[in-house]
């Protein structure tokens, strides 16, 4: 099996694939309420083009993929793409990150196709706060998806962005979901990427940990899986686990194994970089597989050491305010 290394000796084996820039929610930390310019369909990579890029990467050493967005289930015929990429030689794990609104009807097939895990975004257990955060009244659909995933015994991670003045009251109820449910809850530092450039006061991972420790004094540190972005803990007597993702403090760059492809085919080798390669243009101008592979290899070999260096190197500083719905989280 091939292994792809970056210029800092880090193995790269994980590709995050944003399959659309569209979304059926408007989470305020991710997207502005109005004035979003969605890409026209022809600007998106087609399923054939996505499968081609994933196959090339799989041949170079990528073995894990995650479908994300925007909201992946908003893309028409998503299951058709999933059936194609799930079976690609070299792809050993495939995961999905979803807001859960449209997901439930597809869960039996996801299970049958062997989905490795699903990350469900759920920032609050309170219906009114859900509506305030996402600007849509869809709590019930999201929560029903959580139950359906658990009923199908699909490994579930709950992503909860921690937001000053918004959902601090939800930290404990969400952590308490791990008591009876075998879920891994991850509290995420809010990043200042909301598509409108507005700045936020971030609850740092230290502050989140302090808060959890205060309320769960027996919290014990778990061994983190390899390349984990979360620091993981167990509350005594709970089935599931809680974790913290220092997305803004960027404590995990040293072991970063991931690259990202946006819905329009732009490659990012760091969450914080400018797009480093436009695969759509390369594909549509007739490059063959060897030429494409060489470009993918060059980009992989020119990564910033960490998110701070990547951010400093950006050509366009307006992109620091890009929406996560384009990047895919
Ligand atoms: N729509 C899907 C969802 O919400 O799960 C997938 C795409 S979403 C961009 C992926 C993840 O990024 C979500 O868990 C979301 O909470 C997270 N995210 C979006 N904007 C963020 C921000 N400003 N700070 C931290 N996490 C963010
Ligand atoms: Fe949509 Fe996910 Fe962004 Fe919320 S976080 S607006 S669900 S893409």
């Amino acid at each position: 099996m091939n292994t792809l290394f970056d210029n800092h000796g880090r193995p790269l084996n994980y590709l995050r694939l944003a399959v659309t820039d569209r979304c059926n929610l408007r989470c305020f930390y991710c997207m502005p309420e109005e004035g979003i310019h969605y890409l026209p369909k022809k600007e998106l990579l087609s399923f054939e083009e996505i499968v081609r890029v994933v196959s090339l990467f799989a041949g170079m050493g990528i073995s894990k993929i995650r479908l994300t967005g925007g909201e992946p289930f908003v893309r028409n015929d998503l299951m058709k793409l999933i059936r194609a990429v799930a079976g690609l030689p070299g792809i050993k794990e495939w995961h999905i990150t979803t807001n859960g609104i449209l997901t439930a009807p597809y869960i039996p097939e996801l299970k049958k196709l062997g989905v490795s895990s699903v990350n469900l975004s759920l920032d609050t257990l309170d219906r009114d706060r859900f509506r305030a955060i996402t600007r849509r009244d869809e709590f019930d659909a999201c929560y029903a998806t959580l139950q359906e995933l658990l009923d199908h015994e699909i490994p579930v991670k709950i992503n909860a962005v921690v937001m000053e003045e918004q959902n601090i009251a939800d930290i404990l109820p969400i952590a308490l979901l791990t008591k009876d449910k075998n879920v891994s809850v991850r509290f995420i530092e809010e990043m200042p990427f909301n598509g409108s450039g507005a700045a936020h006061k971030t609850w740092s991972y230290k502050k989140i940990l302090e808060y959890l420790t205060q309320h769960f004094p027996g919290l014990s540190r778990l061994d983190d899986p390899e390349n984990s972005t979360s620091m993981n803990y167990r509350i005594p007597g709970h089935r599931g686990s809680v974790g913290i993702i220092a997305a803004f403090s960027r404590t995990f760059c040293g072991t970063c194994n991931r690259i990202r492809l946006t819905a329009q085919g732009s490659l990012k080798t760091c969450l914080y970089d400018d797009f480093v390669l436009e695969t759509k243009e390369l594909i549509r101008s007739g490059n063959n597989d060897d030429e494409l592979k060489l470009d993918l290899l060059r980009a992989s070999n020119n990564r910033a050491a960490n998110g701070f260096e990547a951010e400093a190197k950006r050509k366009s500083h307006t992109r620091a305010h890009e929406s996560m719905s384009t990047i895919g989280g």
Side-chain angles (χ1 to χ4, degrees):
M1 208 198 80
N2 291 329
T3 309
L4 180 62
F5 288 99
D6 73 6
N7 44 318
H8 303 281
R10 293 172 293 201
L12 293 177
N13 58 9
Y14 177 12
L15 173 65
R16 297 177 63 101
L17 211 52
V19 296
T20 178
D21 59 335
R22 294 175 190 242
C23 191
N24 45 357
L25 298 185
R26 291 287 179 279
C27 305
F28 80 90
Y29 51 74
C30 178
M31 278 183 157
E33 187 163 16
E34 286 171 358
I36 305 160
H37 299 292
Y38 284 141
L39 294 166
K41 190 160 179 243
K42 64 175 180 359
E43 295 297 326
L44 302 181
L45 286 186
S46 67
F47 285 174
E48 290 70 24
E49 289 167 336
I50 294 176
V51 171
R52 183 166 170 208
V53 176
V54 176
S55 306
L56 289 174
F57 267 128
M60 292 160 69
I62 294 291
S63 57
K64 167 177 175 180
I65 56 174
R66 173 174 305 280
L67 290 103
T68 171
E71 171 50 36
F73 287 92
V74 162
R75 179 122 186 207
N76 278 342
D77 280 337
L78 179 74
M79 292 309 296
K80 206 166 135 187
L81 176 68
I82 291 181
R83 287 178 213 120
V85 290
L88 284 175
I91 299 302
K92 299 205 187 89
E93 294 177 35
W94 58 278
H95 307 253
I96 302 179
T97 299
T98 175
N99 62 29
I101 310 304
L102 301 172
T103 316
Y106 302 103
I107 290 174
E109 188 175 1
L110 294 177
K111 172 78 179 177
K112 205 158 85 195
L113 291 169
V115 66
S116 308
S117 78
V118 173
N119 287 8
L120 180 69
S121 297
L122 178 61
D123 303 318
T124 175
L125 299 185
D126 178 276
R127 184 171 289 110
D128 292 336
R129 279 200 288 276
F130 188 95
R131 197 177 44 232
I133 292 168
T134 66
R135 302 179 179 120
R136 298 288 185 271
D137 194 11
E138 293 283 8
F139 173 79
D140 290 342
C142 176
Y143 201 77
T145 288
L146 172 62
Q147 201 48 56
E148 195 72 14
L149 288 165
L150 292 170
D151 289 348
H152 282 79
E153 297 180 349
I154 293 174
V156 186
K157 291 179 181 166
I158 292 176
N159 286 351
V161 178
V162 176
M163 295 158 276
E164 174 86 12
E165 291 168 17
Q166 287 283 344
N167 67 344
I168 302 308
D170 288 292
I171 296 179
L172 298 184
I174 292 177
L176 283 169
L177 288 175
T178 64
K179 189 168 176 26
D180 302 315
K181 299 185 196 305
N182 187 16
V183 290
S184 157
V185 163
R186 292 109 48 85
F187 294 105
I188 305 178
E189 282 181 353
E190 185 185 4
M191 291 178 275
F193 291 5
N194 71 350
S196 70
H200 297 287
K201 242 193 275 164
T202 293
W203 260 53
S204 72
Y205 71 96
K206 288 185 185 152
K207 192 165 171 178
I208 300 170
L209 180 58
E210 214 175 270
Y211 188 85
L212 287 172
T213 313
Q214 255 171 29
H215 292 87
F216 303 109
L219 200 69
S220 62
R221 186 80 161 93
L222 296 172
D223 289 336
D224 299 327
E226 209 183 348
N227 304 115
S228 172
T229 49
S230 54
M231 298 165 254
N232 300 293
Y233 303 84
R234 191 173 305 283
I235 301 170
H238 284 214
R239 282 182 77 195
S241 62
V242 292
I244 305 172
I245 301 184
F248 189 57
S249 307
R250 287 161 257 188
T251 52
F252 43 71
C253 299
T255 56
C256 179
N257 63 339
R258 62 202 63 201
I259 47 184
R260 292 172 164 81
L261 194 67
T262 69
Q264 59 188 317
S266 308
L267 189 74
K268 285 172 80 73
T269 55
C270 171
L271 176 58
Y272 285 86
D273 69 18
D274 263 329
F275 303 133
V276 296
L277 190 73
E278 298 300 339
T279 64
K280 183 174 75 232
E281 269 85 272
L282 295 172
I283 291 172
R284 294 188 188 172
S285 59
N287 283 261
N288 67 30
D289 282 357
D290 287 340
E291 289 164 332
L292 278 173
K293 255 185 177 169
L294 200 62
D295 282 323
L296 297 176
L297 207 58
R298 276 201 201 107
S300 309
N301 235 310
N302 191 26
R303 285 179 94 207
N306 55 53
F308 296 101
E309 183 186 314
E311 194 173 21
K313 277 187 179 164
R314 277 169 175 271
K315 288 183 208 81
S316 151
H317 285 276
T318 55
R319 279 193 168 162
H321 305 309
E322 202 163 50
S323 167
M324 287 295 275
S325 60
T326 314
I327 306 170

